[in-house]
């Protein structure tokens, strides 16, 4: 039985006023949306302010990244224990922007995944190919490499408390969404890759789609067999738009 998860990645946006407004509006709107899981991932510095709004609500707090280190002389880093202390329940790891803009390698992502799990938090592992890679026909090879780094370090069992997000880089922030079938094909591949190690875990792992999801396309994406929710960027900065996407997840959840 799958349950749709809609997570908002606010990236490097907002200020101390706007994040509180946005969080408060999401909390209000989420009250009725009982059949969908919802999380928001603000920038680090706003985690406590957003957590104050989310306390006691159905909306979980998440972070956008975490250090591989738990503590020590690592200037500028934020650790998974700190994120847990701030009330986070999930942490995005391996987002394509971390990979492409900040040089994060598959192995770094795997260590972050492990650091997050050590704290009992849920890693939200991002994978996905660039436009070049898609055009070269190596989408599955790229996604397999990214996934295998985590499977090799942590084993398939670790995915029991994790979520995967397939985010084709060419669809992020571009307005160019993968078609439901394009996304479904890669999601099915990801599930089959996990199943090679553990079919039981594969069947239960939630695989989210991310890349220009909006209220206009959410329902058709969530209706696909292997799409278990969405990781939302731009559209998560508008409470009504984000809630409309959550509503699509809620309706899908009601259908069973
Ligand atoms: P957009 O929804 O803005 O395309 O961003 C997707 C994303 O990167 C979420 O992590």
């Amino acid at each position: 039985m799958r349950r749709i998860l809609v997570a908002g990645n606010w990236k490097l946006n907002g200020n101390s006023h706007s994040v509180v407004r946005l969080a408060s509006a999401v909390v209000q709107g989420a009250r009725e949306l009982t059949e969908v899981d919802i999380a928001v991932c603000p920038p680090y510095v706003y985690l406590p302010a957003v957590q104050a709004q989310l306390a006691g609500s159905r909306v979980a707090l998440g972070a956008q990244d975490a250090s591989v280190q738990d503590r020590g002389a690592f200037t500028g880093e934020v650790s998974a224990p700190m994120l847990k202390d701030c009330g986070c329940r999930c942490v995005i790891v391996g987002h394509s922007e971390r990979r492409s803009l900040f040089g994060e390698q598959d192995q770094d992502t795997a260590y972050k995944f492990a650091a997050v799990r050590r704290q009992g938090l849920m890693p939200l592992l991002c994978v996905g190919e660039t436009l070049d890679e898609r055009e070269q026909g190596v989408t599955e090879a790229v996604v397999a490499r990214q996934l295998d780094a985590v499977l090799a370090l942590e084993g398939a069992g670790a995915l029991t408390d994790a979520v995967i997000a397939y985010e084709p880089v060419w669809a992020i922030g571009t307005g160019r969404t993968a078609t439901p079938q394009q996304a479904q094909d890669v999601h099915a591949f990801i599930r089959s890759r996990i199943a090679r190690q553990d079919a039981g875990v594969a069947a239960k792992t939630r695989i989210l789609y991310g890349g220009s999801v909006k209220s206009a396309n959410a329902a058709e994406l969530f209706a696909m067999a292997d799409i278990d929710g969405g990781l939302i960027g731009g559209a998560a900065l508008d409470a009504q738009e984000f809630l409309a996407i959550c509503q699509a997840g809620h309706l899908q959840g009601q259908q069973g």
Side-chain angles (χ1 to χ4, degrees), residues 9 11 92 95 97 167 171-174 210-213 231-235:
N9 175 5
K11 305 192 181 182
I92 298 170
H95 192 281
E97 288 149 19
E167 298 208 315
I172 296 178
T174 58
S212 299
V213 178
L231 181 54
I232 321 299

Side-chain angles (χ1 to χ4, degrees), residues 77-191:
E77 290 287 90
V78 174
S79 72
M82 291 170 184
L83 298 176
K84 183 177 187 180
D85 188 34
C86 287
C88 285
R89 305 238 300 274
C90 57
V91 182
I92 298 170
V93 295
H95 192 281
S96 70
E97 288 149 19
R98 300 304 315 172
R99 295 178 191 263
S100 67
L101 304 175
F102 300 98
E104 185 168 318
Q105 304 295 309
D106 297 333
Q107 199 59 42
D108 302 322
T109 300
Y111 286 132
K112 288 182 178 185
F113 183 101
V116 167
R117 269 193 80 238
R118 274 202 299 280
Q119 302 309 315
L121 304 179
M122 185 175 83
L124 218 161
L125 169 67
C126 297
V127 297
E129 82 288 3
T130 62
L131 184 58
D132 257 12
E133 290 163 340
R134 175 159 281 260
E135 285 172 350
Q136 285 166 35
V138 294
T139 296
E140 292 190 352
V142 169
V143 167
R145 192 198 72 220
Q146 294 169 335
L147 190 58
D148 287 355
V150 170
L151 291 175
L153 185 70
E154 292 278 271
L159 293 177
T160 310
D161 335 298
V163 170
I164 295 175
Y166 169 57
E167 298 208 315
V169 179
W170 48 271
I172 296 178
T174 58
R176 186 178 163 195
T177 321
T179 65
Q181 192 58 52
Q182 276 176 322
Q184 165 61 27
D185 290 348
V186 181
H187 283 227
F189 170 75
I190 291 170
R191 209 178 292 287

